Amino acid sequence: MKILVEKNYEAISKTAGRIFIESIASKPDIVLGLATGSTPIGMYKEMIRAYEEEGLDFSKVKTFNLDEYVGLSQEHPSSYAYFMDNELFKYININKENTHVPDGKAENIEEYCKRYDEMINEAGGIDIQVLGIGENGHIAFNEPDEALSAGTSVVKLTENTIEVNSRFFDSLEEVPKTAITMGMGSILRARKIILLASGEKKAPVIKRLLNDNKVTTMFPVSFLLLHPDVTIIVDEEAYNG
C-alpha cells in the first residue's frame, strides 16, 4: 500500500488525474472503475482538461461505475448515471455504449447484479478503480456489517448514509432506501486501486486504515490491505486531522 500526501484537494485531484491520464495514454482500450460523490469531481476535471488540451483519446475506453440507487432512472438528476454524464462523459469523446452505470430500474435486479459482474469480466476486468471512503469506512455502498457481499448486489442503505446523501435530494424522504453496489470481491479484482480522501472529517478513518493492520467486515475499507496495488492519495487535513 502506497500513500501520497498532497497539500489540498486541488493537488489530490491533479495527482489522481495524472495517474488516470497516463494509464489511458499507455492503454487506449483501458477499463476504468469509476465513482461518484464530490471527491472524484476534481480528478474528472483533470481528465476533461487532458482531453481538451492534450488530445487524450477516450474513444476505446470502457467504464464501470461502483453503484446506483434502486428505483431511479438514468435521467433522474440525483441518479449516478446523470452525475457521470454531467461531470465527465458529455465532455469527452467516450462511446456511450462503453460506459456502464448499474441500472436502478432493472426488472429482475438480482439477475442484473450477476450480469453486471459478468459484463466486467467480459470486458477483461477493471484495470484501475477509483474509490472514495466513508467516515465509517464504507466503500461504494458496502457498509459495516457482519457479512459483506462478494459480488455486485442490492444493499439496504444505513440511516446515516441516507441522511448524508439527502443533500442531493429535495428531502430526506426522497432518498432511495436501497442501492446496487459492486461487492468487495468485485472491487478487489481491479488490477490497481486509487483511494482518495480529503478534509479533516476523513482523518480518523484514514488513520485507522493505516494503523490497524486488521481486516474486518465492520470496516470494509480494511479489505484493501489484502490488495497488491493500492495507492492512497490524501490531503494534509485528511492525513493529519
Side-chain angles (χ1 to χ4, degrees):
M1 187 173 278
K2 180 180 179 182
I3 182 152
L4 303 176
V5 182
E6 304 290 352
K7 185 168 181 58
N8 51 32
Y9 175 74
E10 183 181 2
I12 287 174
S13 300
K14 287 186 175 179
T15 298
R18 183 48 53 188
I19 292 171
F20 271 73
I21 290 162
E22 290 175 356
S23 298
I24 295 165
S26 64
K27 186 180 181 183
D29 61 347
I30 196 169
V31 180
L32 305 179
L34 302 181
T36 53
S38 56
T39 306
I41 288 176
M43 184 189 85
Y44 294 151
K45 282 184 165 60
E46 281 297 302
M47 293 164 69
I48 294 166
R49 184 200 57 73
Y51 167 69
E52 294 174 342
E53 298 177 10
E54 300 173 18
L56 186 66
D57 183 17
F58 289 84
S59 63
K60 296 179 182 177
V61 172
K62 291 186 175 69
T63 68
F64 288 89
N65 264 74
L66 287 167
D67 42 25
E68 178 62 282
Y69 294 110
V70 170
L72 295 193
S73 70
Q74 294 191 342
E75 293 75 31
H76 192 289
S78 295
S79 74
Y80 289 162
Y82 187 93
F83 174 98
M84 290 307 305
D85 279 341
N86 285 276
E87 297 297 341
L88 180 63
F89 295 153
K90 73 180 184 180
Y91 300 106
I92 57 177
N93 68 325
I94 198 163
N95 182 346
K96 213 46 204 314
E97 291 182 2
N98 287 340
T99 67
H100 305 85
V101 180
D103 182 2
K105 299 282 281 184
E107 285 187 21
N108 187 331
I109 211 138
E110 282 76 19
E111 281 301 313
Y112 175 79
C113 288
K114 291 178 187 175
R115 178 64 190 140
Y116 198 72
D117 283 328
E118 288 172 0
M119 286 191 290
I120 294 172
N121 290 334
E122 288 166 5
I126 291 171
D127 291 299
I128 179 169
Q129 172 74 57
V130 65
L131 298 172
I133 182 173
E135 291 172 39
N136 64 355
H138 77 253
I139 49 177
F141 277 126
N142 295 289
E143 299 278 2
D145 204 344
E146 290 182 2
L148 297 175
S149 179
T152 298
S153 66
V154 176
V155 294
K156 184 178 178 181
L157 304 185
T158 66
E159 291 302 318
N160 178 256
T161 294
I162 291 169
E163 187 175 333
V164 168
N165 289 358
S166 66
R167 69 187 189 275
F168 301 116
F169 293 82
D170 291 333
S171 68
L172 186 67
E173 290 70 32
E174 283 190 25
V175 185
K177 306 301 185 283
T178 56
I180 299 172
T181 184
M182 277 194 209
M184 295 308 303
S186 307
I187 292 168
L188 291 175
R189 278 192 287 276
R191 295 177 184 90
K192 181 180 184 66
I193 293 174
I194 306 291
L195 177 71
L196 307 178
S198 173
E200 61 183 357
K201 284 187 176 180
K202 299 296 175 71
V205 72
I206 292 296
K207 183 177 181 180
R208 181 178 172 186
L209 174 62
L210 296 176
N211 294 327
D212 270 13
N213 201 35
K214 294 177 183 175
V215 176
T216 169
T217 59
M218 300 308 291
F219 192 54
V221 71
S222 65
F223 277 77
L224 298 189
L225 295 169
L226 304 175
H227 194 279
D229 190 353
V230 176
T231 299
I232 302 173
I233 310 174
V234 297
D235 60 15
E236 292 175 355
E237 284 191 341
Y239 188 67
N240 298 314

